[in-house]
């Protein structure tokens, strides 16, 4: 379909660092986003949630980001857990809640706990019932469950050891059962999450073992060699690759590291934790992720890169007028606050 005005706003957020502009108007922008979330239709809500996540990444982990998150967290959570809301909007809110909380709420234990329990209330709907049977998913729910699980896994990386131990006992056995899910992308999200949880468990305790690792490895072997003719070729290939990696990690702590290059620098993705964090930023920023790794102090701090090597000249020249293309609802609200569009090109 035609791209909505909010999509172009998202594009501006993810590719340019327009920090000063946002800083002066952060409350206006978050008010406008809140209006889109509360009153917009499903598509507008989904687009607004994505922009919320991008806004948090732009503002970084400081007080400004935390302030925006305080306003937006309740409404993101409310839509995500609302069974009557559009599935696309709920999925987008789950992803945004994870990212905003990861960036803004690390200091504040309460927001972290609340966000995690809301995310759990969504993806645990995929867990087996008392008889051990997995529920039959409705259309769109595996995507929602996967987004909530990935967002939760991102937040698990912030938890203290005492909390982690409880989470591992509670979720590992249930997630193991979800490897039998009928949806390939959900199975993959579950496999990645299991690997991450085991890695975090081993970080706390070198001797970490969990119940029934033999059965787990059997399931993983089956998924790593799945030749099921009923599955699409690409899905099968992706599934086999990921589950081979998960199996190698669980059995002998192998991790096939990947180098991400940007400018003259690079980072190594050398653990499940780093992969989850990098993938989360990539989901939110899409092709803008390399730009942010070069210039955004927040990402540079998270990945241990130090201050930017060069200043980003595009910040000064970026045309603010792009922000006028917001959703219909946010548009009226922003109109009254935006400066006239300046044309910098002479």
């Amino acid at each position: 379909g035609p791209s909505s005005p909010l999509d172009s706003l998202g594009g501006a957020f993810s590719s340019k660092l327009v920090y000063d502009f946002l800083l002066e108007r952060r409350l206006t922008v978050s008010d406008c986003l809140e209006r889109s979330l509360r009153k917009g239709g499903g598509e507008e809500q989904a687009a607004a949630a994505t922009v919320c996540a991008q806004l948090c990444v732009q503002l970084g982990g400081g007080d400004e980001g935390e302030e925006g998150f305080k306003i937006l967290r309740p409404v993101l959570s409310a839509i995500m857990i609302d069974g009557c809301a559009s599935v696309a909007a709920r999925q987008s809110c789950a992803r945004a809640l994870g990212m905003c909380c990861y960036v803004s709420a690390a200091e504040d234990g309460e927001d972290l706990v609340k966000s995690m329990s809301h995310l759990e209330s969504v993806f645990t709907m995929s867990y087996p019932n008392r008889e051990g049977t997995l529920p039959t998913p409705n259309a769109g729910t595996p995507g929602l469950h996967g987004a909530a699980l990935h967002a939760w896994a991102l937040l698990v990386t912030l938890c203290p050891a005492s909390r982690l131990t409880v989470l591992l006992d509670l979720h590992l056995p249930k997630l193991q059962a979800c490897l039998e899910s009928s949806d390939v992308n959900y199975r993959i999200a579950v496999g990645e999450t299991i690997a991450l949880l085991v890695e975090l468990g081993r970080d706390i305790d070198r001797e970490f073992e969990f119940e029934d690792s033999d059965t787990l490895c059997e399931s993983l072997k089956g998924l790593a060699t799945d030749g099921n003719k009923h599955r699409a070729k690409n899905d099968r290939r992706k599934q086999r690759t990921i589950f081979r990696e998960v199996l190698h990690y669980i059995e002998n702590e192998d991790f096939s590291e990947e180098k991400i290059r940007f400018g003259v620098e690079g980072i190594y993705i050398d653990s499940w934790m780093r992969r989850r964090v990098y993938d989360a930023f990539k989901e939110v920023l899409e092709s803008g992720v390399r730009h942010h790794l070069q210039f955004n102090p927040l990402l540079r701090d998270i990945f241990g890169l130090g201050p930017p090597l060069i200043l980003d000249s595009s910040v000064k020249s970026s045309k603010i007028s792009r922000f006028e293309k917001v959703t219909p609802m946010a548009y009226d609200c922003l109109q009254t606050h935006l400066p006239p569009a300046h044309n910098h090109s002479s």
Side-chain angles (χ1 to χ4, degrees), residues 49 125 146 150 264 295 323:
M125 300 301 277
H150 269 150
V264 294
F295 301 111
F323 284 87

Side-chain angles (χ1 to χ4, degrees), residues 6 20 22 42 71 77 178 180 197 204 224 229-230:
L6 253 193
D20 297 332
L22 287 175
I71 298 172
S77 286
C178 290
E180 306 294 317
L197 292 175
I204 302 172
K229 291 286 173 281
H230 302 298

Side-chain angles (χ1 to χ4, degrees), residues 122-333:
V122 173
F123 70 77
T124 53
M125 300 301 277
S126 69
Y127 281 7
N129 62 17
R130 289 215 178 86
E131 288 72 56
T133 324
L134 290 175
T136 312
N138 307 330
T141 51
L144 169 63
H145 294 160
L149 181 61
H150 269 150
W152 178 83
L154 177 67
L155 298 182
V156 167
T157 66
L158 301 175
C159 289
S162 55
R163 176 118 177 82
L164 260 177
T165 320
V166 177
L167 292 175
L168 291 172
D169 288 346
L170 196 64
H171 291 280
L172 269 173
K174 298 274 199 278
L175 286 168
Q176 197 172 326
C178 290
L179 290 171
E180 306 294 317
S181 160
S182 56
D183 183 87
V184 62
N185 291 315
Y186 190 58
R187 285 196 298 278
I188 288 171
V190 167
E192 292 172 328
T193 304
I194 289 173
L196 172 70
L197 292 175
V198 171
E199 179 180 273
L200 294 169
R202 286 172 176 169
D203 284 346
I204 302 172
D205 172 12
R206 289 306 305 149
E207 304 304 300
F208 175 78
E209 282 297 331
F210 55 99
E211 305 297 302
D212 216 8
S213 61
D214 292 350
T215 320
L216 174 64
C217 289
E218 283 310 303
S219 302
L220 294 173
K221 279 191 185 100
L223 291 161
T225 54
D226 184 1
N228 188 331
K229 291 286 173 281
H230 302 298
R231 305 204 213 285
K233 244 196 183 120
N234 283 351
D235 288 347
R236 281 209 307 269
R237 196 172 301 128
K238 185 180 173 192
Q239 173 182 291
R240 286 200 298 262
T241 308
I242 300 231
F243 280 101
R244 268 200 300 274
E245 291 181 0
V246 174
L247 183 64
H248 290 164
Y249 176 72
I250 303 273
E251 286 189 328
N252 38 26
E253 299 198 28
D254 283 349
F255 187 92
S256 38
E257 66 175 38
E258 178 189 1
K259 185 170 193 193
I260 310 291
R261 297 167 191 281
F262 45 93
V264 294
E265 300 171 275
I267 52 170
Y268 285 98
I269 305 299
D270 53 7
S271 68
W272 289 99
M273 176 168 147
R274 275 189 94 130
R275 179 185 283 188
R276 175 79 294 267
V277 174
Y278 175 73
D279 284 351
F281 280 110
K282 203 167 71 177
E283 283 158 15
V284 168
L285 299 168
E286 295 176 352
S287 59
V289 69
R290 285 183 164 80
H291 183 91
H292 277 259
L293 282 165
Q294 266 180 290
F295 301 111
N296 185 334
L298 170 74
L299 271 79
R300 295 186 65 83
D301 183 41
I302 288 170
F303 289 101
L305 288 160
L309 301 187
I310 40 174
L311 286 175
D312 179 7
S313 59
S314 67
V315 171
K316 293 179 197 64
S317 63
S318 76
K319 289 204 185 102
I320 295 306
S321 58
R322 295 164 73 181
F323 284 87
E324 291 172 48
K325 310 191 191 92
V326 198
T327 57
M329 259 168 228
Y331 181 77
D332 302 333
C333 160

